[in-house]
Amino acid sequence: EVQLVESGGGLVQPGGSLRLSCAASGFTFSSYAMTWVRQAPGKGLEWVSVISDSGDNTNYADSVKGRFTISRDNSKNSLYLQMNSLRAEDTAVYYCARGKYYFHWWGQGTLVTVSS
Amino acid sequence: EIVLTQSPGTLSLSPGERATLSCRASQSVSSSNLAWYQQKPGQAPRLLIYGASSRATGIPDRFSGSGSGTDFTLTISRLEPEDFALYHCQQYGSSPWTFGQGTKVEIK
C-alpha cells in the first residue's frame, strides 16, 4: 500500500526557516517524480514544487522561487522541502504527492504556521 | 498562468439529486489535461478524474468528467451521503499547474 507521511511542520517566525520531510513507502520511490502542494487555511490548493525521479530536474511556483528548495534522497525513500525566508502568506498545510502531472496519492499534510 | 474559475462556489442539493460542477479556464487547457479532486474536512484531496474524463482507480461510475478547451464539467449522477464535500479542478497542461478555488457540495 502506498503511504506518504509528511513531518517537520510547526510554528516559525517570519524570516525563519523550516525543513519538511515526506517518507514514502509501498512503491518504488526512485521511479516517480514527486510534488509539494499547499493549502492555506480556508483556501484552495496551490502547486508549490516538483522534482524528477532522479532529482536532476526541479521546478517551482513563482511565489516560492528563490526561497524554497525541493530535494530527495532515493536511498532513504524521502522527499524534502527546505523553506527559507518564510512569510505569513506561506502559512498552509503542505502535502507531498506522488507524480508530476496529477496526483493519485497524497500524504496527510503537515501544517506550517508563520507568525510572530 | 492559467486561471481556473469554478462555479458555483456552493451547491446545495439533496441526496439522490444530480450535481453539475463547472471549471472554466482563462485559456485553453492543452490535451484536456484536467483533473478533479474531492476533499473532505481534515483530509487530503482524493483524485476522481484525470484527462478530463478518465475515472481514477476505485472511483464509482456516478462520477463523470467532460469538456475540453476552456470548459470542463464534473457530474455526480446521484448524490450519495459521502459525496458532500469540496471539489477542486486542476490543470496540468501549462506550467505552472493551477487549481480552481473549489466548489462545496452541501446538503440542502
Side-chain angles (χ1 to χ4, degrees):
Chain A
E1 179 193 2
V2 172
Q3 279 203 315
L4 299 169
V5 180
E6 300 94 337
S7 60
L11 175 63
V12 61
Q13 291 188 339
S17 298
L18 214 53
R19 189 197 197 204
L20 305 184
S21 299
C22 171
S25 60
F27 65 101
T28 304
F29 182 70
S30 59
S31 295
Y32 291 88
M34 296 293 295
T35 297
W36 287 99
V37 176
R38 69 184 181 182
Q39 186 172 32
K43 302 293 185 183
L45 300 165
E46 181 187 13
W47 174 86
V48 173
S49 182
V50 62
I51 188 167
S52 63
D53 52 1
S54 65
D56 290 345
N57 295 296
T58 60
N59 199 9
Y60 299 91
D62 285 347
S63 58
V64 307
K65 198 171 292 183
R67 301 187 298 121
F68 290 11
T69 302
I70 192 172
S71 62
R72 64 191 297 161
D73 185 338
N74 286 344
S75 69
K76 294 183 178 179
N77 290 343
S78 292
L79 173 72
Y80 305 103
L81 187 67
Q82 177 67 44
M83 304 185 296
N84 299 331
S85 303
L86 283 161
R87 306 167 179 166
E89 55 264 35
D90 295 318
T91 294
V93 174
Y94 285 73
Y95 296 100
C96 65
R98 192 181 83 172
K100 179 179 178 180
Y101 298 105
Y102 55 87
F103 314 110
H104 195 131
W105 297 104
W106 299 66
Q108 84 289 349
T110 187
L111 176 62
V112 172
T113 303
V114 184
S115 175
S116 54
Chain B
E1 71 178 46
I2 294 179
V3 176
L4 298 180
T5 301
Q6 292 186 242
S7 61
T10 302
L11 198 51
S12 299
L13 295 168
S14 300
E17 289 193 294
R18 181 184 187 91
T20 303
L21 287 67
S22 172
C23 178
R24 181 160 291 178
S26 60
Q27 53 189 283
S28 184
V29 176
S30 62
S31 304
S32 295
N33 289 325
L34 189 112
W36 289 93
Y37 300 85
Q38 177 193 70
Q39 187 179 29
K40 297 180 179 179
Q43 297 185 14
R46 173 194 183 198
L47 178 67
L48 299 174
I49 301 286
Y50 61 94
S53 60
S54 297
R55 264 189 306 277
T57 304
I59 301 303
D61 60 8
R62 65 180 180 272
F63 291 92
S64 63
S66 63
S68 63
T70 60
D71 288 298
F72 298 87
T73 300
L74 174 70
T75 301
I76 310 171
S77 58
R78 287 178 57 86
L79 282 164
E80 297 287 342
E82 62 268 28
D83 299 337
F84 292 91
L86 181 62
Y87 292 83
H88 308 271
C89 59
Q90 176 223 341
Q91 67 81 22
Y92 51 95
S94 175
S95 183
W97 309 159
T98 50
F99 292 84
Q101 83 282 10
T103 289
K104 181 180 180 182
V105 178
E106 65 175 22
I107 300 177
K108 187 174 181 180

